[in-house]
Short mmCIF file of all heavy atoms in Angstrom, two decimals:
data_model
loop_
_atom_site.label_atom_id
_atom_site.label_comp_id
_atom_site.label_asym_id
_atom_site.label_seq_id
_atom_site.Cartn_x
_atom_site.Cartn_y
_atom_site.Cartn_z
N ALA A 106 22.17 13.72 3.89
CA ALA A 106 21.67 15.08 4.10
C ALA A 106 22.78 16.06 3.73
O ALA A 106 23.91 15.96 4.20
CB ALA A 106 21.25 15.25 5.56
N ALA A 107 22.46 17.01 2.86
CA ALA A 107 23.46 17.91 2.28
C ALA A 107 24.21 18.74 3.31
O ALA A 107 25.40 18.98 3.17
CB ALA A 107 22.79 18.82 1.26
N HIS A 108 23.57 19.17 4.35
CA HIS A 108 24.19 20.08 5.31
C HIS A 108 25.16 19.40 6.28
O HIS A 108 25.80 20.07 7.08
CB HIS A 108 23.12 20.84 6.09
CG HIS A 108 22.31 19.95 6.98
ND1 HIS A 108 21.32 19.14 6.49
CD2 HIS A 108 22.38 19.73 8.31
CE1 HIS A 108 20.79 18.46 7.49
NE2 HIS A 108 21.41 18.79 8.60
N THR A 109 25.31 18.09 6.19
CA THR A 109 26.16 17.38 7.15
C THR A 109 27.63 17.32 6.76
O THR A 109 28.48 17.09 7.61
CB THR A 109 25.67 15.94 7.34
OG1 THR A 109 25.82 15.24 6.11
CG2 THR A 109 24.23 15.90 7.84
N ALA A 110 27.92 17.46 5.46
CA ALA A 110 29.29 17.36 4.94
C ALA A 110 29.90 15.98 5.17
O ALA A 110 31.10 15.82 5.17
CB ALA A 110 30.19 18.46 5.51
N THR A 111 29.05 14.97 5.39
CA THR A 111 29.48 13.58 5.51
C THR A 111 28.57 12.73 4.64
O THR A 111 27.51 13.18 4.21
CB THR A 111 29.39 13.08 6.96
OG1 THR A 111 28.02 13.10 7.37
CG2 THR A 111 30.24 13.92 7.91
N LEU A 112 29.01 11.51 4.41
CA LEU A 112 28.19 10.56 3.66
C LEU A 112 27.53 9.59 4.61
O LEU A 112 28.06 9.33 5.70
CB LEU A 112 29.08 9.78 2.67
CG LEU A 112 29.71 10.60 1.55
CD1 LEU A 112 30.70 9.74 0.77
CD2 LEU A 112 28.64 11.16 0.63
N PRO A 113 26.41 9.01 4.22
CA PRO A 113 25.80 7.98 5.05
C PRO A 113 26.74 6.78 5.18
O PRO A 113 27.58 6.54 4.31
CB PRO A 113 24.53 7.58 4.28
CG PRO A 113 24.31 8.65 3.30
CD PRO A 113 25.63 9.29 3.03
N GLU A 114 26.59 6.05 6.24
CA GLU A 114 27.41 4.86 6.47
C GLU A 114 26.80 3.70 5.69
O GLU A 114 25.89 3.02 6.15
CB GLU A 114 27.46 4.57 7.97
CG GLU A 114 28.13 5.68 8.75
CD GLU A 114 27.81 5.65 10.22
OE1 GLU A 114 27.37 4.60 10.75
OE2 GLU A 114 27.97 6.71 10.85
N LEU A 115 27.33 3.50 4.48
CA LEU A 115 26.91 2.41 3.61
C LEU A 115 28.16 1.69 3.13
O LEU A 115 29.18 2.32 2.87
CB LEU A 115 26.15 2.94 2.39
CG LEU A 115 24.88 3.74 2.66
CD1 LEU A 115 24.40 4.41 1.39
CD2 LEU A 115 23.81 2.82 3.22
N THR A 116 28.05 0.37 2.99
CA THR A 116 29.18 -0.36 2.42
C THR A 116 29.11 -0.21 0.91
O THR A 116 28.03 0.04 0.35
CB THR A 116 29.11 -1.85 2.80
OG1 THR A 116 27.99 -2.45 2.17
CG2 THR A 116 29.02 -2.04 4.31
N PRO A 117 30.23 -0.36 0.22
CA PRO A 117 30.20 -0.24 -1.24
C PRO A 117 29.19 -1.19 -1.89
O PRO A 117 28.53 -0.83 -2.84
CB PRO A 117 31.64 -0.59 -1.65
CG PRO A 117 32.46 -0.20 -0.47
CD PRO A 117 31.59 -0.53 0.73
N GLY A 118 29.03 -2.38 -1.36
CA GLY A 118 28.07 -3.33 -1.92
C GLY A 118 26.62 -2.97 -1.70
O GLY A 118 25.73 -3.52 -2.35
N GLU A 119 26.34 -2.05 -0.79
CA GLU A 119 24.96 -1.62 -0.53
C GLU A 119 24.53 -0.49 -1.43
O GLU A 119 23.33 -0.30 -1.64
CB GLU A 119 24.82 -1.18 0.94
CG GLU A 119 24.93 -2.31 1.93
CD GLU A 119 25.00 -1.82 3.36
OE1 GLU A 119 25.50 -0.69 3.62
OE2 GLU A 119 24.56 -2.59 4.24
N ARG A 120 25.45 0.24 -1.97
CA ARG A 120 25.10 1.44 -2.73
C ARG A 120 24.33 1.12 -4.02
O ARG A 120 23.31 1.75 -4.31
CB ARG A 120 26.35 2.27 -3.02
CG ARG A 120 26.89 2.93 -1.77
CD ARG A 120 28.07 3.84 -2.06
NE ARG A 120 28.52 4.47 -0.84
CZ ARG A 120 29.51 4.02 -0.08
NH1 ARG A 120 30.19 2.95 -0.44
NH2 ARG A 120 29.83 4.64 1.03
N ILE A 121 24.82 0.19 -4.80
CA ILE A 121 24.15 -0.13 -6.07
C ILE A 121 22.75 -0.70 -5.83
O ILE A 121 21.79 -0.24 -6.46
CB ILE A 121 25.01 -1.07 -6.94
CG1 ILE A 121 26.30 -0.36 -7.36
CG2 ILE A 121 24.24 -1.58 -8.14
CD1 ILE A 121 26.10 0.90 -8.19
N PRO A 122 22.58 -1.66 -4.91
CA PRO A 122 21.20 -2.11 -4.64
C PRO A 122 20.29 -0.98 -4.14
O PRO A 122 19.11 -0.94 -4.48
CB PRO A 122 21.37 -3.20 -3.58
CG PRO A 122 22.75 -3.71 -3.79
CD PRO A 122 23.55 -2.50 -4.21
N LEU A 123 20.84 -0.06 -3.37
CA LEU A 123 20.03 1.06 -2.86
C LEU A 123 19.55 1.94 -4.01
O LEU A 123 18.37 2.31 -4.08
CB LEU A 123 20.82 1.87 -1.85
CG LEU A 123 20.12 3.07 -1.22
CD1 LEU A 123 18.82 2.66 -0.53
CD2 LEU A 123 21.06 3.77 -0.23
N VAL A 124 20.44 2.25 -4.94
CA VAL A 124 20.05 3.04 -6.10
C VAL A 124 19.02 2.27 -6.93
O VAL A 124 18.02 2.85 -7.38
CB VAL A 124 21.29 3.39 -6.97
CG1 VAL A 124 20.88 3.96 -8.31
CG2 VAL A 124 22.18 4.36 -6.23
N ALA A 125 19.24 0.98 -7.11
CA ALA A 125 18.32 0.17 -7.90
C ALA A 125 16.94 0.12 -7.25
O ALA A 125 15.92 0.27 -7.94
CB ALA A 125 18.87 -1.24 -8.08
N VAL A 126 16.89 -0.07 -5.96
CA VAL A 126 15.61 -0.13 -5.24
C VAL A 126 14.84 1.18 -5.44
O VAL A 126 13.64 1.18 -5.74
CB VAL A 126 15.86 -0.43 -3.73
CG1 VAL A 126 14.68 -0.04 -2.87
CG2 VAL A 126 16.20 -1.89 -3.54
N CYS A 127 15.53 2.30 -5.29
CA CYS A 127 14.87 3.60 -5.44
C CYS A 127 14.39 3.83 -6.88
O CYS A 127 13.27 4.28 -7.10
CB CYS A 127 15.80 4.72 -5.00
SG CYS A 127 16.09 4.74 -3.22
N ALA A 128 15.23 3.48 -7.85
CA ALA A 128 14.85 3.68 -9.25
C ALA A 128 13.69 2.78 -9.66
O ALA A 128 12.77 3.21 -10.37
CB ALA A 128 16.05 3.42 -10.16
N LEU A 129 13.72 1.54 -9.22
CA LEU A 129 12.63 0.62 -9.56
C LEU A 129 11.31 1.06 -8.94
O LEU A 129 10.26 1.04 -9.59
CB LEU A 129 12.99 -0.81 -9.13
CG LEU A 129 14.09 -1.45 -9.96
CD1 LEU A 129 14.70 -2.64 -9.22
CD2 LEU A 129 13.55 -1.87 -11.32
#
Side-chain angles (χ1 to χ4, degrees):
H108 67 283
T109 64
T111 63
L112 295 172
E114 297 161 20
L115 301 169
T116 67
E119 291 171 331
R120 289 185 179 96
I121 295 300
L123 180 57
V124 169
V126 160
C127 291
L129 289 162

